[in-house]
Amino acid sequence: MRASEKTRRLTGLALLTAIVAVLQVVATFIKFGPFPITLALAPIIIGAALFGPKAGAYLGGVFGFVVLLACIMGWDPGGSVLWNANPFLTAVICLGKGILAGLCAGAVYRRLSNTPMAGAILAGIVSPVVNTGLFCLCLTLLFHDILIAWAAGTEVVYYIIFVLTGINFLVELAVNLVLSTVIVRVVSARSHA
């Protein structure tokens, strides 16, 4: 890799790192249910599209770290409950779901890079599906008693789909789909630069 390309990559990743961190800190205080919304997926997808799956995984890790910090600091009440119950598993979940959401978005975009719009749209779908899906799966498998307590007698599957993640997931998905054209323009502009 040429020195100018390395510099461009480092600069781009530094800028996207800051954007991911700021967006997720702000999003920590926006809730449509018991957990904060995720606004940081779009810059993760942009980074994954521009710099590849490893960059997506890195940016997803930054997102996961900010989510974990919110759990530790008590900014995210639901995450704080999980942290107090088992800090190690909470850290694994926060970091793992973020890293895999970025990695998968990058892999999907790379696979479909010959059709950038399709790649951006599918990466925009895959990222929140992986993020939310892994969270729900881990919550069900690793924090089942807490999940049952939160459901408070409601059918668990209904609670997960319609209360715990429903609106958040739909907003995250909609934001990514709306921003797909922006992602394509950013990637296209970089390619022509």
Side-chain angles (χ1 to χ4, degrees), residues 23 89 175:
L23 279 176
L89 289 178
V175 166

Side-chain angles (χ1 to χ4, degrees), residues 31-172:
K31 293 179 179 67
F32 291 106
F35 286 91
I37 193 162
T38 300
L39 296 177
L41 294 178
I44 293 169
I45 296 166
I46 291 171
L50 286 173
F51 305 116
K54 288 181 187 175
Y58 160 74
L59 292 168
V62 171
F63 155 68
F65 179 77
V66 174
V67 171
L68 178 60
L69 185 62
C71 294
I72 295 167
M73 301 298 289
W75 303 336
D76 176 351
S80 185
V81 169
L82 299 180
W83 175 258
N84 289 328
N86 191 321
F88 176 74
L89 289 178
T90 303
V92 170
I93 292 169
C94 291
L95 295 171
K97 71 184 185 70
I99 290 168
L100 288 173
L103 181 70
C104 291
V108 165
Y109 188 86
R110 178 171 281 167
R111 180 77 175 119
L112 298 170
S113 62
N114 56 341
T115 53
M117 184 57 78
I121 290 171
L122 286 176
I125 292 169
V126 164
S127 188
V129 166
V130 169
N131 181 53
T132 302
L134 283 176
F135 173 72
C136 291
L137 179 65
C138 290
L139 191 60
T140 302
L141 296 176
L142 304 174
F143 290 100
H144 189 73
D145 292 341
I146 291 172
L147 179 60
I148 296 296
W150 285 345
T154 306
E155 174 62 36
V156 174
V157 173
Y158 176 88
Y159 177 78
I160 290 172
I161 294 171
F162 294 105
V163 178
L164 189 65
T165 61
I167 295 171
N168 279 5
F169 173 75
L170 293 175
V171 170
E172 292 167 12

